[in-house]
């Protein structure tokens, strides 16, 4: 898993053989580790429904055993899978149950048998889940806890994972300098340790930062390089995410047609895998690109924004809902529908209780003040 990737076919073959041996022997302690490994494999291959079923089996097995380390791992596995499916509320429930069971001393023992420390992964994924649910400040706190635990364990793969998810959180918060800092740290660590997947992630994050900073062509080249690195290891579970990053980079590079093509590919990948995380943002970005392509194409763009809103509301994803509501409100303002724009944006902005220093909330506040004039 460290040298060939979390989703390499050899990983599935080895765990499948272990599972067959468990079934042959009968009830055996090795069954839990086998199911956990298969859950991780299928999640990273983008087979989220299979990972979800295995995650539920893990929780049932751990509850029967009542062993805290296994309960932590089971809730982490199921919570992480639910996060990728876009079921953020359920993901938070399981991840918080896992976090409550973190024992730093036990993590040192677990990390010797794991590719990733489960305490680190549940904190890192919880951080991104909290942002989606509308808690930007709590998200940063969990992110810092994940990084601190990974550094204390001195386990390279776990630290790489924490750095990747930290970059992902700052991407959601639209903080390019913070993404850049985590990307560079991740690339330095992963290159030194020979961890190809994490090199790929670091390359993608560096590419996104370059695009945002105005170096579109170079940024897209880095993103393509990172995506190729993932696919070479079988890590298709992140394909839709990387395609979305590429589409965003294309927008910054004024390659609108290419951005729309990439988004169409990304949305097809979302549908094929059942992945829900970042789906609302993909629809919103599609609407924004349609407006860039033709300012008169408002009907289709609004349909995309409405789809993004529907998705975000279904997922209880307040942060994605706010960002989409801001895009749609701006469109309505341009159409002379100031009252409708205000009525859409004001309630969702008013829901938030933290994170008022973030770009989305600052922009929403300024726009509401403009609409109220």
């Amino acid at each position: 898993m460290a040298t060939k990737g979390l989703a390499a076919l050899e990983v599935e073959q080895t765990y499948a053989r272990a599972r067959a041996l468990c079934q042959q022997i009968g009830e055996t302690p090795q069954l839990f580790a086998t199911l956990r490994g298969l859950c991780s494999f299928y999640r990273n291959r983008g087979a989220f429904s299979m990972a979800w079923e295995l995650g539920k089996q893990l929780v049932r097995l751990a509850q029967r055993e009542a062993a805290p380390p296994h309960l932590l791992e089971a809730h982490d596995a199921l919570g992480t899978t639910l996060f990728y499916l876009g079921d953020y509320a359920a993901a938070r429930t399981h991840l918080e149950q896992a976090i409550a069971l973190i024992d730093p001393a036990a993590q040192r023992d677990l990390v010797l048998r794991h590719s990733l420390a489960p305490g680190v992964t549940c904190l890192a994924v919880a951080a991104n889940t909290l942002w989606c649910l509308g808690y930007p400040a709590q998200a940063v706190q969990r992110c810092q806890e994940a990084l601190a635990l990974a550094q204390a364990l001195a386990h390279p793969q776990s630290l790489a994972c924490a750095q990747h998810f930290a970059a992902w959180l700052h991407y959601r918060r639209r903080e390019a300098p913070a993404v850049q800092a985590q990307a560079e740290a991740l690339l330095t660590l992963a290159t030194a340790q020979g961890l190809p997947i994490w090199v790929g992630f670091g390359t993608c994050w560096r590419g996104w930062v370059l695009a945002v900073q105005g170096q579109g062509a170079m940024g897209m080249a880095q993103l393509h390089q990172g995506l190729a690195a993932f696919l070479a290891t079988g890590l298709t579970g992140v394909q839709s995410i990387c395609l979305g990053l590429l589409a965003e980079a294309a927008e910054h590079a004024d390659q609108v047609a290419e951005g729309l093509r990439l988004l169409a590919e990304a949305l097809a990948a979302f549908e094929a895998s059942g992945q829900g995380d970042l789906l609302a943002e993909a629809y919103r970005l599609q609407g924004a690109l349609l407006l860039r392509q033709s300012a008169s194409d408002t009907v289709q763009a609004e349909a995309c924004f409405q789809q993004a809103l529907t998705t975000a509301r279904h997922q209880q994803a307040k942060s994605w809902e706010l960002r989409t509501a801001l895009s749609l409100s701006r469109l309505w303002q341009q159409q002379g529908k100031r009252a409708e724009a205000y009525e859409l944006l004001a309630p969702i902005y008013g829901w938030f209780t933290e994170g008022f220093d973030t770009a989305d909330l600052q922009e929403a506040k300024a726009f509401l003040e403009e609409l109220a004039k």
Side-chain angles (χ1 to χ4, degrees), residues 143 147 162-164 166-167 170 177-187 205:
C143 179
L147 288 164
Q163 290 168 338
H164 160 62
H170 290 298
V179 175
Q180 184 174 17
Q182 293 298 335
E184 296 305 329
L186 175 56
L187 279 168
W205 291 126

Side-chain angles (χ1 to χ4, degrees), residues 1-2 15 36 69 72-73 102-121 146 149-162:
M1 290 169 78
Y15 276 126
R36 179 184 52 76
L72 188 161
E73 295 171 64
I102 294 175
D103 176 352
Q107 289 294 301
R108 293 184 189 281
D109 294 330
L110 282 172
V111 83
L112 297 175
R113 304 193 301 274
H114 288 241
S115 61
L116 297 170
V120 173
T121 57
L149 178 58
Q151 288 161 348
L153 293 171
H155 185 244
Q157 277 226 90
S158 296
L159 181 55
C161 176

Side-chain angles (χ1 to χ4, degrees), residues 52-237:
W52 179 57
E53 290 296 338
L54 286 163
K56 290 190 292 182
Q57 285 183 46
L58 280 168
V59 170
R60 288 195 295 269
L61 185 57
Q63 287 172 337
R64 195 164 71 238
E65 294 175 350
H70 279 184
L71 280 167
L72 188 161
E73 295 171 64
H75 285 299
D76 173 44
L78 182 53
T80 299
T81 303
L82 288 164
F83 162 74
Y84 282 107
L85 285 166
D87 191 347
Y88 300 123
R92 181 188 185 185
T93 297
H94 285 283
L95 292 167
E96 292 293 342
Q97 288 182 69
I99 289 167
L101 294 166
I102 294 175
D103 176 352
Q107 289 294 301
R108 293 184 189 281
D109 294 330
L110 282 172
V111 83
L112 297 175
R113 304 193 301 274
H114 288 241
S115 61
L116 297 170
V120 173
T121 57
C122 65
L123 285 165
V125 177
N128 284 265
T129 303
L130 283 165
W131 182 90
C132 295
L133 288 167
Y135 303 102
Q138 293 178 53
V140 170
Q141 177 62 34
R142 286 298 190 209
C143 179
Q144 291 169 344
E145 291 170 7
L147 288 164
L149 178 58
Q151 288 161 348
L153 293 171
H155 185 244
Q157 277 226 90
S158 296
L159 181 55
C161 176
Q163 290 168 338
H164 160 62
F165 276 98
W168 206 352
L169 173 62
H170 290 298
Y171 158 76
R172 294 172 198 269
R173 287 169 56 100
R174 295 169 56 198
E175 296 166 338
V179 175
Q180 184 174 17
Q182 293 298 335
E184 296 305 329
L186 175 56
L187 279 168
T188 299
L189 173 68
T191 302
Q193 294 288 331
L195 305 172
I197 282 184
W198 304 110
V199 171
F201 277 125
T203 303
C204 277
W205 291 126
R206 177 192 276 171
W208 178 81
V209 170
L210 286 169
V212 169
Q213 292 175 342
Q215 301 180 63
M218 188 180 297
M220 290 190 71
Q222 293 262 302
L223 278 159
H224 278 294
Q225 182 182 333
L227 180 56
F230 296 140
L231 297 181
T233 68
L235 195 73
T236 52

Side-chain angles (χ1 to χ4, degrees), residues 12 19 35-36 38-58 77-78 81 85 273:
E12 181 186 28
R19 190 179 195 180
L35 294 178
R36 179 184 52 76
L38 282 169
C39 179
S40 170
F41 171 82
Y42 287 121
R43 185 171 62 243
N44 283 292
R45 291 290 286 200
F48 294 110
S49 60
M50 294 179 71
W52 179 57
E53 290 296 338
L54 286 163
K56 290 190 292 182
Q57 285 183 46
L58 280 168
L78 182 53
T81 303
L85 285 166
S273 67

Side-chain angles (χ1 to χ4, degrees), residues 303-352:
C304 292
F305 291 150
Q306 292 286 5
Q307 183 64 52
L309 271 181
T310 300
T311 301
R313 287 167 177 167
H314 175 72
Q315 296 174 342
Q316 302 177 52
K318 293 293 186 178
S319 291
W320 292 132
E321 184 182 352
L322 177 72
R323 189 174 297 177
T324 302
L326 183 56
S327 293
L328 183 53
S329 294
R330 283 174 170 154
L331 175 60
W332 283 353
Q333 182 209 32
Q334 292 164 11
Q335 296 173 335
K337 298 190 288 188
R338 293 174 66 90
E340 292 92 333
Y342 188 90
E343 288 167 10
L344 172 67
L345 186 58
I348 178 62
Y349 175 80
W351 179 92
F352 282 82

